[in-house]
Amino acid sequence: MKLDELFSVRDKVVLITGGSRGIGEMIAEGFIANGAKVYITSRNESDIKNTAQRLKDSYGGFCEAIRSDISNIDGVKELFNEFSKKENYLDVLVNNAGAVWG
C-alpha cells in the first residue's frame, strides 16, 4: 500500500499560522503539493499574499492568505471569524506563528 493511501491529506482543510516564510511556508508547500486546501496566516499582509500566490503558481492547488496577528486574544478571535466566513470545518491546524526577540 502506498503512503498517500494510508495518510492522504487530499481535500483536507488546513490552516497554518505563521505561513508566510520559513517552516510555515514549507509545511504549507507539503500540504498543497499533496492536494490539501490550505489557508496561511501572517501579520504582514503583503508577505502572506505573495507566498500564497507563489505556492499556487508552483503547485496549482488552493492556497489563500488571511492576514492575522494572533499574539493576543482579539487577533485569535478575528482569525476565527475570518476563517469561519470561508469554511465550515477545519481538518488540520498548524500553529506555527512565533516572534523573534532580539
Side-chain angles (χ1 to χ4, degrees), residues 14-21 24-25 27-29 32 38-42 47-53 55 63-68 79:
V14 178
L15 174 63
I16 302 168
T17 67
S20 68
R21 62 182 178 263
E25 181 180 0
I27 293 168
E29 183 176 16
I32 294 165
V38 176
Y39 293 87
I40 55 176
T41 74
S42 173
D47 284 352
I48 200 70
K49 285 184 176 182
N50 290 336
T51 299
Q53 188 61 53
L55 291 173
C63 186
E64 185 172 324
I66 301 174
R67 190 243 166 256
S68 70
L79 173 57

Side-chain angles (χ1 to χ4, degrees), residues 1-73:
M1 183 172 276
K2 290 182 153 185
L3 186 61
D4 65 339
E5 292 171 5
L6 288 171
F7 303 106
S8 177
V9 295
R10 182 162 305 286
D11 300 323
K12 299 294 185 189
V13 178
V14 178
L15 174 63
I16 302 168
T17 67
S20 68
R21 62 182 178 263
I23 293 170
E25 181 180 0
M26 289 183 276
I27 293 168
E29 183 176 16
F31 276 107
I32 294 165
N34 287 284
K37 185 176 186 181
V38 176
Y39 293 87
I40 55 176
T41 74
S42 173
R43 292 178 295 185
N44 187 304
E45 189 167 11
S46 64
D47 284 352
I48 200 70
K49 285 184 176 182
N50 290 336
T51 299
Q53 188 61 53
R54 185 172 57 254
L55 291 173
K56 284 190 287 191
D57 291 345
S58 295
Y59 295 97
F62 181 94
C63 186
E64 185 172 324
I66 301 174
R67 190 243 166 256
S68 70
D69 179 356
I70 61 168
S71 65
N72 59 63
I73 194 65

